[in-house]
Amino acid sequence: MTIQLFSALIAFAFVSSITPGPNNLMLMASGANFGFRRSIPHMLGIGIGFTVMIVLVGIGLVQVFDRFPVAYTVLKVFSVIYLCWLAWKIARAGAPTGKQAGGTPMTFTQAALFQWVNPKAWAMALTAITNYTPDHHAASVLMVALAFGMVNLPCVSTWTVLGQQIRRILTNPRHLQAFNLTMAALLVLSLWPVLVH
């Protein structure tokens, strides 16, 4: 991989990792509801889970979709259903219940596995493998995974910090509930590109 191609890859990794999507919206909600420290497993699950996903997609999973296009459709339907369920959980997180706020932060394993049903993660992985590994050699795939591994974690951490800062404003339970409902609605709206393609 040339320096120019690697530089373009880093730029793509940054832009695709920092822009709003299901991972970042959920991390912002997690930062607001649970704070930065309790959201660390969630952030690490995204960073490591997505890096592993890129390796596996690059090594051969993309060939499965080429041979069996219906598999991609099934994955898309499952992804939409799962993201709607997560939006429902976010909408309920932190709502006043008379005792402790509802919900718990996503675990490392949950966040890592979530990458497999995250439409934005699939789009990022397939685009990166298609555009930045023209030879499809294992070394090129590992370079793509390394680039995302370096860039992704700082990007997603930014969204958690943003959520944590917003938490100071959301001391009123009604404001927190309104924030969670807004984040849930934005998560559902982030599915629009998936539904129109």
Side-chain angles (χ1 to χ4, degrees):
M1 183 177 293
T2 66
I3 296 289
Q4 292 84 0
L5 189 60
F6 189 72
S7 299
L9 170 61
I10 292 291
F12 172 73
F14 175 76
V15 170
S16 58
S17 296
I18 198 75
T19 52
N23 280 326
N24 291 337
L25 293 172
M26 289 191 306
L27 280 172
M28 191 161 110
S30 185
N33 286 292
F34 309 113
F36 187 87
R37 185 180 297 227
R38 289 183 66 197
S39 300
I40 289 174
H42 188 169
M43 291 183 285
L44 291 174
I46 290 169
I48 294 170
F50 185 64
T51 302
V52 169
M53 179 183 183
I54 286 178
V55 172
L56 296 178
V57 166
I59 288 175
L61 195 55
V62 74
Q63 294 174 10
V64 172
F65 293 131
D66 287 342
R67 288 187 183 176
F68 307 103
V70 72
Y72 187 72
T73 303
V74 169
L75 175 69
K76 187 188 290 190
V77 169
F78 181 69
S79 298
V80 168
I81 292 168
Y82 185 65
L83 280 171
C84 288
W85 178 76
L86 285 174
W88 177 75
K89 282 190 68 173
I90 289 171
R92 291 186 56 235
T97 60
K99 11 178 201 185
Q100 190 177 6
T104 57
M106 193 175 264
T107 67
F108 173 87
T109 304
Q110 289 170 330
L113 291 175
F114 173 70
Q115 303 319 298
W116 295 95
V117 294
N118 179 352
K120 184 181 177 189
W122 274 104
M124 289 166 58
L126 291 171
T127 301
I129 293 302
T130 302
N131 293 332
Y132 299 101
T133 61
D135 55 9
H136 294 288
H137 289 146
S140 297
V141 170
L142 291 176
M143 287 296 285
V144 170
L146 175 66
F148 272 95
M150 293 183 327
V151 170
N152 191 268
L153 190 57
C155 289
V156 298
S157 298
T158 302
W159 284 85
T160 309
V161 170
L162 180 61
Q164 184 181 28
Q165 295 307 310
I166 289 173
R167 183 180 189 172
R168 295 177 183 176
I169 302 167
L170 302 175
T171 53
N172 180 316
R174 280 186 171 172
H175 295 163
L176 180 60
Q177 189 170 29
F179 172 80
N180 288 336
L181 289 171
T182 301
M183 289 296 101
L186 288 173
L187 184 58
V188 171
L189 286 174
S190 75
L191 293 171
W192 181 252
V194 176
L195 297 174
V196 297
H197 285 97

